[in-house]
Amino acid sequence: MTVPGRRSSTFTRLIRHGFTDPAASERLLDEDALASVRHDPVLLDALGATADPDLALGGLVRLAEAQPDDDQRQEFLRTLVSAKPLRDRLLGVMGASEALADHLARHPGDWHALLTYEAVDLHPGVAEFERGLAAAEDPDALRVAYRRCLLSIAARDVCGTTDVAQTAAELADLATATLRAALAIARRAAPADAAQCRLAVVAMGKCGGHELNYVSDVDVIFVGEAVDGADEDKAMRAATRLAAHLMRICSETTGEGVIWPVDANLRPEGRNGPLVRSLSSHVAYYQRWAKTWEFQALLKARPVAGDPALGEEYVAALSPMVWQAAERENFVPDVQKMRRRVVDNIPVGQVERELKLGPGGLRDVEFAVQLLQLVHGRSDASLHSGSTLEALQALAAGGYVGRADAAQLDEAYRFLRQMEHRIQLYRLRRTHLVPEGEADLRRLGRSLGMRGEPVTQLQQAWRRHASVVRRLHEKIFYRPLLDAVAQLAPGETRLSPRAAGQRLEALGYADPVGALRHLEALSSGVTRKAAIQRTLLPVLLGWFADSADPDAGLLGFRKVSDALGKTPWYLRLLRDEGAAAENLARVLSAGRLAPDLLLRAPEAVAILGDPKGLQPRGRDHLEQEVLAAVGRADGAEGGVTAARGVRRRELFRTTAADIIGSYGTEDSPAESDPGALVDRVCGAVTDLNAATLAGALRAAVRDQWGDELPTRFAVIGMGRFGGHELGYGSDADVLFVHEPREGVDEQEAAQAANKVVTEMRRLLQLPTADPPLLIDADLRPEGKSGPLVRSLKSYGAYYRRWSLVWESQALLRADPMAGDPDLGRRFIELVDPLRYPVEGLGDDAVREIRRLKARMESERMPRGADPTLHTKLGRGGLSDVEWTVQLLQMQHGWAEPGLRTTRTRAALAAAHAAGLIPTEEAQILDEAWVLATRVRNGVMLVRGRAGDTFPSDGRELAAMGRYLGYDPGHVGDMLDDYRRITRRARAVMEDLFYGA
């Protein structure tokens, strides 16, 4: 009797044995069904040893109650308490799997399946499972028999009789036996069809690899042939009906549940292709049409059911093609795509719980192993295994993967697979998500042997193993490459030079011999520097391989390392600043411009490790720094050399930020708004060139006149410079204006102004290691035949008397950039009435602008250029958008203040806000202008020299694609998208500009 207010002794024992709801469990123990065993101490001990004692006790009560009569119930309970193996297996299963407890309650005699313990029962194979399914004559009977066999597999698993690899192999063997039984049922249902054809079922995926989950689609491919004398078409239709019936038997849900879905979508042409093909049809498809991923899938192909000879013929015919896949033309871009984690379709809230596809998940290990098999299996048959763990062991034995790395990956993969098994076993549902509930996590942790703090221990172990996978899944490609050029300890296995070359080629390196030479130079020796390089290089090689030009990235890294290798901070920066190494890899492998800028002053690499280092410096900050540098220098040439040095560093900062923003990094995605990227780049380059001009002006004046020039002087930006839209390869279009100081003769002032301009141009084009800044003053009055610099008064006289429409249009971009700010402001006041004429343009002026545009299109397009791809003068390119916007500015700027801007995008937005351009048309023009500007910037980044059209070289074109956000192998999509976007812009332009 229990004293009121006191816990019973049973309640206390239940808590001690791990029950989480002892009150409910105490009531279950009091049920009549367990009356004969409720006080037996072995029962509570066995329940307490399970993953979820409460769940196990509930399942036990239901199973006891479900026995047909009291005699059988007592027999069951006596056996339970007297036979420890049965007790451990049965309660272990019911404590880990609610679904199998449900099955036992529906089929209470199936507990006998856990009673016999012959030697063969410890590790059954296909034959034993076939005997277990032999009595099944219909689909429901097959489902029941399947669950009975599954019960025995789960029992061995939860009791530790089998490890995770053996459990996965048993599940694959059970699937094989089930497919054979389902095919037999289908044949009995249609004997006429069975008589006409030979049908082979080839397992793919995890079933083919002998590493199946508890609940998984079973991937298959069907191969059919006509029997001798049968009509081929009729035979294939018969084989298709048999295959479809087999799939329904396994996939349909009935009162006995579902076995698992049979998925035939890995077949040629996927779900759009015929369900069954002949062997010759399969061979023809793989020879002509198959993609790399389809050969990757064939790694695991294994005949499992139907005609065994036909299945073996299928594997024999296609296996050689699998091991030649690495020699295919598109293998490298295909590999780059396969190596990217497929997480885009995972809901954001689930990424961190994804055991299979998330970072550090099972897919990372499987893809890495399969890729190395494809690369090296062509010359090493020991790698021809469908099992991930067996293949990993073979890769380590052959030196293709470091032994320590392979051992860590093996341990992590086994743990993650065991987690996956136990998660699925609970309700026999296909899932790869780690549960969130405390009770679910507790059961999962206890099922893996964690009994102290199971939730905490589980999460720590999971994170630790996922971290190992995340750290190693890329490195295993590259560490052996370093070993191939290093001095190894006796007995260690290394990649042969040929195997190292094969791997580098597969990862996109065009010159594997040169790459190995660079690796040897960087990592050889016993110095601390070499040790740090050996740590960094495996990761860097992966980032280089993710680019369009891995060779250039590695070569650039060697040059930077040679230049900075003796500095104490360089390698420490790359090792310790998380983003610095990845940023450097992206910058070095994206094209020529950024590495050229960096190699002229390698210390600028420090920018890549500063969290704020990639943010553009403002114009005031830059001008202040440049003027200070000029002030410290000796002479004009020294001053401008210092200013150009600042410009080079800031150009590198801008290119690096552009590349990293376009590519993205592992920790931050690529910039989603290309317009924002364009605005940042154009604004930064414009500010930088303005500051450089200010420095050159200060240097020229100080060298000859000291602190003050005899005339006020200003530099007016024109064209893309005045529009704050300079690209990397743009000249600086300018006008020079001066105004004599009080008491200074006009001729003396003009001579001084001309001397300053001549000296500025000379200084900015001096041959040095820094990129020159070219000044173009051809937009001045009278063009090249007019004076290089005029007084403000002279400009006023010219514009009043001689100004043409095109000059008024050019002045739309006029904006002061350097020199006397008051003079610059008064110049703008002078030209405003010209560029924004009151009441807009007359009809004659509009016709003249249209005539000039048409003439430019016909005369200035370079010979042989593709007008659909020319970014400046081509269809829907920069010229089309800018002339359309500028015409609106000249017509309506007098009345719409928002249009009085030198910037194209701002003017376009203002025209839309004023109702001059509909929303869709404004978006079309903006998209085309941004894209054309990005292409011009990309060409300069990739080629190191300016260009107005896409490069023709394949590797450069691929680099352009990566810069613009396209995956490898999608250059055609990039060009098609450019043509489509600019074609739409041209249609809008013709409507708005020409009035078509």
Side-chain angles (χ1 to χ4, degrees):
M1 177 177 173
T2 303
V3 177
R6 272 194 175 175
R7 298 295 190 189
S8 70
S9 59
T10 303
F11 186 97
T12 306
R13 288 166 59 214
L14 289 170
I15 292 177
R16 192 167 62 247
H17 280 87
F19 287 79
T20 57
D21 189 354
S25 295
E26 188 173 14
R27 287 193 297 273
L28 284 175
L29 280 172
D30 287 338
E31 293 285 338
D32 291 342
L34 298 185
S36 62
V37 296
R38 69 167 62 103
H39 298 298
D40 195 312
V42 299
L43 180 60
L44 270 190
D45 289 342
L47 287 167
T50 66
D52 188 337
D54 303 83
L55 183 67
L57 177 58
L60 177 61
V61 171
R62 291 164 60 209
L63 176 56
E65 289 175 341
Q67 296 303 312
D69 54 48
D70 189 60
D71 289 343
Q72 293 189 54
R73 181 179 301 112
Q74 294 310 314
E75 178 199 352
F76 162 63
L77 293 173
R78 281 195 303 273
T79 309
L80 180 71
V81 296
S82 62
K84 185 178 187 305
L86 170 68
R87 190 166 60 247
D88 291 344
R89 286 183 166 196
L90 180 63
L91 296 181
V93 166
M94 290 196 292
S97 177
E98 186 178 68
L100 287 177
D102 290 344
H103 170 83
L104 284 165
R106 286 198 309 274
H107 303 280
D110 279 3
W111 66 270
H112 290 91
L114 305 180
L115 187 57
T116 55
Y117 288 92
E118 304 297 332
V120 73
D121 291 321
L122 295 178
H123 300 291
V126 176
E128 288 73 32
F129 288 127
E130 283 190 292
R131 284 197 291 273
L133 304 176
E137 297 288 334
D138 59 66
D140 265 358
L142 182 59
R143 284 168 173 71
V144 174
Y146 173 82
R147 288 290 173 95
R148 188 182 305 119
C149 293
L150 191 65
L151 185 65
S152 65
I153 294 175
R156 287 187 292 276
D157 178 17
V158 298
C159 290
T161 306
T162 54
D163 65 17
V164 67
Q166 291 169 325
T167 299
E170 288 185 15
L171 289 165
D173 285 342
L174 175 56
T176 297
T178 305
L179 288 169
R180 292 177 183 179
L183 182 57
I185 293 172
R187 281 175 165 162
R188 286 196 296 271
D193 285 346
Q196 291 186 71
C197 64
R198 300 167 62 200
L199 178 64
V201 184
V202 179
M204 306 287 282
K206 282 188 160 53
C207 183
H210 230 222
E211 50 187 16
L212 197 60
N213 297 331
Y214 275 104
V215 187
S216 173
D217 292 356
V218 170
D219 296 308
V220 299
I221 284 179
F222 295 106
V223 190
E225 295 287 349
V227 299
D228 292 339
D231 178 88
E232 185 172 344
D233 288 342
K234 290 181 179 179
M236 295 306 289
R237 286 196 293 272
T240 300
R241 288 191 292 271
L242 289 173
H245 192 185
L246 177 152
M247 292 176 71
R248 288 196 304 275
I249 290 169
C250 297
S251 305
E252 287 181 345
T253 302
T254 72
E256 290 297 339
V258 63
I259 299 177
W260 18 246
V262 176
D263 188 341
N265 289 336
L266 290 178
R267 66 185 184 272
E269 300 179 76
R271 63 185 62 194
N272 297 320
L275 184 61
V276 181
R277 285 178 184 257
S278 66
L279 178 58
S280 61
S281 176
H282 276 285
V283 171
Y285 174 85
Y286 283 102
Q287 285 176 335
R288 188 168 185 183
W289 304 110
K291 297 179 173 62
T292 300
W293 71 263
E294 293 178 281
F295 292 107
Q296 181 192 12
L298 285 173
L299 279 170
K300 297 182 179 294
R302 179 172 64 94
V304 292
D307 190 305
L310 180 57
E312 292 296 343
E313 287 177 49
Y314 172 88
V315 171
L318 296 184
S319 182
M321 297 187 209
V322 173
W323 306 114
Q324 294 162 8
E327 298 167 8
R328 290 163 54 85
E329 182 180 353
N330 293 320
F331 183 73
V332 170
D334 287 348
V335 162
Q336 288 178 319
K337 281 185 283 188
M338 288 193 294
R339 282 176 48 244
R340 284 191 177 78
R341 297 193 185 97
V342 189
V343 298
D344 292 346
N345 295 324
I346 306 174
V348 175
Q350 295 182 358
V351 171
E352 295 302 318
R353 295 168 52 214
E354 239 310 332
L355 204 56
K356 180 178 180 180
L357 299 177
L362 293 161
R363 180 64 60 86
D364 281 349
V365 182
E366 292 160 359
F367 264 40
V369 168
Q370 290 165 22
L371 177 54
L372 291 177
Q373 284 181 276
L374 287 174
V375 171
H376 299 297
R378 49 184 161 165
S379 56
D380 188 344
S382 71
L383 305 181
H384 297 187
S385 171
S387 161
T388 300
L389 290 172
E390 288 179 8
L392 183 58
Q393 291 170 2
L395 287 165
Y400 304 105
V401 173
R403 289 185 185 277
D405 290 345
Q408 288 187 65
L409 273 183
D410 182 280
E411 181 185 1
Y413 186 73
R414 287 174 184 272
F415 179 83
L416 295 173
R417 281 301 302 273
Q418 197 168 24
M419 271 186 75
E420 181 184 43
H421 278 187
R422 299 299 165 79
I423 290 169
Q424 292 183 349
L425 182 59
Y426 175 48
R427 285 185 175 152
L428 289 181
R429 289 180 182 168
R430 184 174 182 265
T431 180
H432 309 287
L433 290 178
V434 177
E436 294 179 289
E438 184 84 8
D440 291 327
L441 290 170
R442 181 177 185 274
R443 182 184 58 256
L444 180 57
R446 284 174 60 91
S447 76
L448 297 172
M450 301 168 185
R451 295 303 167 94
E453 295 288 341
V455 175
T456 302
Q457 290 173 267
L458 171 69
Q459 291 178 329
Q460 288 175 345
W462 173 33
R463 299 301 178 195
R464 183 177 73 253
H465 287 296
S467 174
V468 166
V469 173
R470 201 160 48 238
R471 180 169 49 86
L472 290 181
H473 99 278
E474 285 278 0
K475 290 186 180 180
I476 65 169
F477 294 111
Y478 305 107
R479 275 188 175 164
L481 294 171
L482 300 184
D483 291 342
V485 295
Q487 297 295 319
L488 299 186
E492 286 289 315
T493 309
R494 75 164 83 209
L495 281 180
S496 68
R498 179 185 176 209
Q502 285 178 336
R503 186 173 302 188
L504 284 164
E505 282 182 348
L507 294 164
Y509 289 82
D511 179 13
V513 174
L516 284 172
R517 193 165 56 246
H518 297 323
L519 291 179
E520 183 173 12
L522 287 163
S523 64
S524 60
V526 294
T527 64
R528 181 174 173 274
K529 169 185 165 185
I532 297 175
Q533 288 282 23
R534 285 193 291 272
T535 302
L536 290 169
L537 277 167
V539 187
L540 287 166
L541 285 169
W543 286 323
F544 293 147
D546 195 37
S547 73
D549 196 349
D551 300 84
L554 180 56
L555 174 61
F557 180 68
R558 180 179 175 184
K559 288 180 177 178
V560 173
S561 295
D562 287 346
L564 295 177
K566 293 181 180 179
T567 60
W569 55 268
Y570 167 62
L571 289 175
R572 186 172 67 243
L573 171 80
L574 298 184
R575 183 192 63 193
D576 298 340
E577 296 295 336
E582 184 178 4
N583 289 346
L584 178 61
R586 299 296 182 206
V587 166
L588 291 176
S589 55
R592 296 182 182 177
L593 177 61
D596 286 350
L597 292 169
L598 179 60
L599 289 170
R600 288 169 181 167
E603 64 276 4
V605 76
I607 289 171
L608 303 176
D610 182 351
K612 297 182 179 179
L614 298 177
Q615 295 177 5
R617 301 298 188 252
R619 182 163 160 187
D620 291 344
H621 176 102
L622 291 170
E623 189 168 320
Q624 185 178 1
E625 181 182 3
V626 166
L627 293 178
V630 170
R632 290 191 298 270
D634 293 329
E637 291 189 3
V640 171
T641 298
R644 289 171 64 180
V646 174
R647 178 171 179 266
R648 179 204 58 238
R649 184 199 69 211
E650 294 305 314
L651 271 177
F652 173 71
R653 187 192 310 277
T654 305
T655 58
D658 189 15
I659 290 165
I660 293 161
S662 299
Y663 273 66
T665 65
E666 290 188 354
D667 294 326
S668 61
E671 170 63 63
S672 59
D673 179 5
L677 276 174
V678 162
D679 290 344
R680 278 202 295 273
V681 169
C682 293
V685 176
T686 299
D687 289 346
L688 177 54
N689 284 353
T692 307
L693 283 176
L697 175 59
R698 172 70 62 86
V701 170
R702 190 190 63 172
D703 207 41
Q704 295 192 47
W705 292 279
D707 291 336
E708 187 174 272
L709 193 64
T711 185
R712 295 181 181 87
F713 186 89
V715 182
I716 309 298
M718 299 288 285
R720 307 189 80 74
F721 188 23
H724 297 258
E725 295 163 358
L726 281 180
Y728 300 120
S730 303
D731 295 346
D733 289 317
V734 297
L735 297 178
F736 297 109
V737 58
H738 79 97
E739 184 180 61
R741 295 187 185 277
E742 294 167 5
V744 176
D745 178 71
E746 286 194 11
Q747 186 175 0
E748 179 191 351
Q751 288 176 344
N754 274 288
K755 280 185 179 180
V756 166
V757 170
T758 303
E759 180 67 356
M760 285 177 66
R761 298 180 80 180
R762 182 187 75 82
L763 292 171
L764 289 170
Q765 295 179 49
L766 283 174
T768 70
D770 300 313
L773 174 55
L774 301 178
I775 298 175
D776 187 342
D778 290 352
L779 290 175
R780 66 189 183 270
E782 302 178 70
K784 293 182 180 179
S785 58
L788 201 57
V789 58
R790 288 176 181 260
S791 68
L792 183 63
K793 181 179 174 182
S794 174
Y795 273 110
Y798 175 85
Y799 286 136
R800 279 193 305 273
R801 187 170 183 186
W802 305 108
S803 177
L804 301 174
V805 173
W806 73 263
E807 290 177 299
S808 297
Q809 182 182 355
L811 287 169
L812 286 167
R813 302 290 201 99
D815 198 26
M817 288 293 169
D820 189 299
D822 179 66
L823 179 60
R825 178 184 56 76
R826 285 187 286 124
F827 179 87
I828 296 304
E829 290 174 352
L830 171 70
V831 301
D832 270 353
L834 288 169
R835 54 186 183 174
Y836 310 124
V838 176
E839 301 299 332
L841 293 173
D843 292 343
D844 289 344
V846 172
R847 277 195 296 273
E848 176 65 9
I849 289 175
R850 289 172 176 165
R851 188 187 65 79
L852 287 170
K853 176 74 170 75
R855 179 181 170 191
M856 185 176 71
E857 289 177 9
S858 62
E859 295 180 2
R860 292 183 58 188
M861 178 71 71
R863 181 176 297 177
D866 183 347
T868 67
L869 293 176
H870 199 279
T871 58
K872 184 176 181 181
L873 302 174
R875 180 191 69 190
L878 296 170
S879 173
D880 278 359
V881 178
E882 290 166 0
W883 281 60
T884 301
V885 172
Q886 288 164 12
L887 181 59
L888 290 171
Q889 288 181 281
M890 296 182 75
Q891 288 176 314
H892 302 282
W894 67 277
E896 293 292 341
L899 289 171
R900 297 172 209 160
T901 174
T902 64
R903 305 172 192 235
T904 301
R905 296 190 74 205
L908 181 57
H912 170 249
L916 301 174
I917 304 181
T919 300
E920 184 178 2
E921 281 83 344
Q923 290 172 344
I924 289 170
L925 291 178
D926 186 71
E927 183 182 20
W929 189 90
V930 166
L931 177 57
T933 302
R934 289 210 76 209
V935 170
R936 292 184 97 203
N937 284 341
V939 169
M940 186 69 183
L941 282 174
V942 169
R943 303 181 69 197
R945 60 182 188 274
D948 289 317
T949 190
F950 287 88
S952 55
D953 176 79
R955 185 157 283 213
E956 291 178 347
L957 200 58
M960 283 290 299
R962 295 303 308 281
Y963 172 70
L964 293 176
Y966 291 85
D967 287 337
H970 286 268
V971 164
D973 293 341
M974 171 181 70
L975 298 179
D976 288 346
D977 287 347
Y978 183 85
R979 289 188 172 104
R980 174 180 54 80
I981 290 166
T982 53
R983 183 174 62 247
R984 295 172 67 207
R986 176 67 184 193
V988 172
M989 175 267 186
E990 289 181 348
D991 181 45
L992 295 174
F993 185 83
Y994 287 121

